[in-house]
Amino acid sequence: MTIETVFHVISDEALSGADLTRMQGMVDAQMEVLNDSFAGETSATASDSPFRFDLAKTNYVVNKAWANVAPGKTERDMKAALHEGDATTLNVYAAD
């Protein structure tokens, strides 16, 4: 079972080309860890699950109010505004 995944990277200002490259590398590395973990490759005692994750999109968002988000109304508003896909889509939010 492959789960479509959307990463939302939130910052308080536009990222430079170098920062975009660095952030995309971090997103790609996180996707690898996620897939390795669910494939049972991270431990000798880990089990292989049927779940795999496919990065469908990385969404770069500039929003000062969301860049340092904490649990509460701002977080709920951010997720409601940014969420993509349906109940089968994994949305991951990364902020400072």
Side-chain angles (χ1 to χ4, degrees):
M1 169 179 271
T2 300
I3 300 169
E4 184 176 282
T5 304
V6 177
F7 251 87
H8 305 277
V9 179
I10 300 103
S11 60
D12 61 359
E13 62 186 27
L15 300 177
S16 69
D19 286 336
L20 284 169
T21 299
R22 182 177 62 84
M23 290 304 286
Q24 189 60 52
M26 293 171 72
V27 168
D28 293 342
Q30 186 60 53
M31 290 299 298
E32 185 174 347
V33 167
L34 190 60
N35 278 305
D36 287 351
S37 295
F38 277 81
E41 297 177 7
T42 57
S43 166
T45 59
S47 296
D48 186 5
S49 80
F51 302 106
R52 299 298 180 268
F53 301 86
D54 179 50
L55 181 62
K57 179 180 179 182
T58 304
N59 181 27
Y60 293 96
V61 178
V62 177
N63 187 308
K64 289 181 187 254
W66 297 344
N68 295 300
V69 70
K73 182 179 181 333
T74 301
E75 178 190 27
R76 286 190 305 275
D77 291 347
M78 176 192 73
K79 289 179 177 181
L82 297 179
H83 184 270
E84 295 192 25
D86 58 23
T88 65
T89 307
L90 174 63
N91 282 253
V92 179
Y93 304 87
D96 287 340

